[in-house]
Amino acid sequence: QVQLVESGGGLVQPGESLTLSCAASGLTFSQYTMSWYRQAPGKGRELVADIFPFGGRTNYADFVEGRFTISRDNAKNTVYLQMNSLKPDDTAEYYCNAIHVRTIRLTYWGQGTQVTVSS
């Protein structure tokens, strides 16, 4: 059974930092592109960043503006999202996603972790 378990969310003030983690189990982690998505209240889910399994190529949404860094540790089956200079607009539920590099029907989601940026 595949599980993606996010952690690291919380309440922070504008300008502060958080690091999210997503621990994967039940899959061959090195065969999956890993992504972070977010969903704010009343809005659709949007891609934040993703990282490919080979070579570590990454992509970021425009709104990241160099503030976030996605990384992965294939030995620990974990993907991270380091978020700096957080803004109130970053407030959302953050979800981890795994998609197989060759079989897109093999897609999995975590349960989400809440990030709230407020003074």
Side-chain angles (χ1 to χ4, degrees):
Q1 181 181 359
V2 175
Q3 283 192 312
L4 302 178
V5 180
E6 300 99 333
S7 61
L11 172 63
V12 297
Q13 295 188 348
E16 293 186 338
S17 299
L18 274 178
T19 299
L20 306 182
S21 300
C22 171
S25 60
L27 51 73
T28 305
F29 189 73
S30 62
Q31 295 179 356
Y32 285 78
T33 296
M34 300 300 298
S35 304
W36 286 98
Y37 284 75
R38 72 184 189 184
Q39 186 166 16
K43 297 187 177 180
R45 192 170 295 190
E46 60 183 354
L47 177 67
V48 177
D50 55 31
I51 183 166
F52 290 79
F54 307 115
R57 184 164 62 93
T58 58
N59 292 304
Y60 295 93
D62 289 344
F63 61 76
V64 168
E65 298 175 325
R67 300 178 296 126
F68 298 174
T69 302
I70 188 171
S71 61
R72 64 190 293 159
D73 186 335
N74 287 343
K76 295 182 178 180
N77 286 6
T78 301
V79 61
Y80 305 95
L81 185 68
Q82 171 70 41
M83 303 186 293
N84 300 323
S85 303
L86 283 162
K87 307 174 183 180
D89 284 350
D90 295 317
T91 296
E93 190 82 7
Y94 283 71
Y95 296 91
C96 179
N97 170 270
I99 183 167
H100 194 276
V101 293
R102 288 186 294 275
T103 309
I104 60 173
R105 65 179 176 84
L106 297 179
T107 300
Y108 305 98
W109 291 91
Q111 81 289 349
T113 186
Q114 177 67 36
V115 172
T116 302
V117 185
S118 175
S119 55

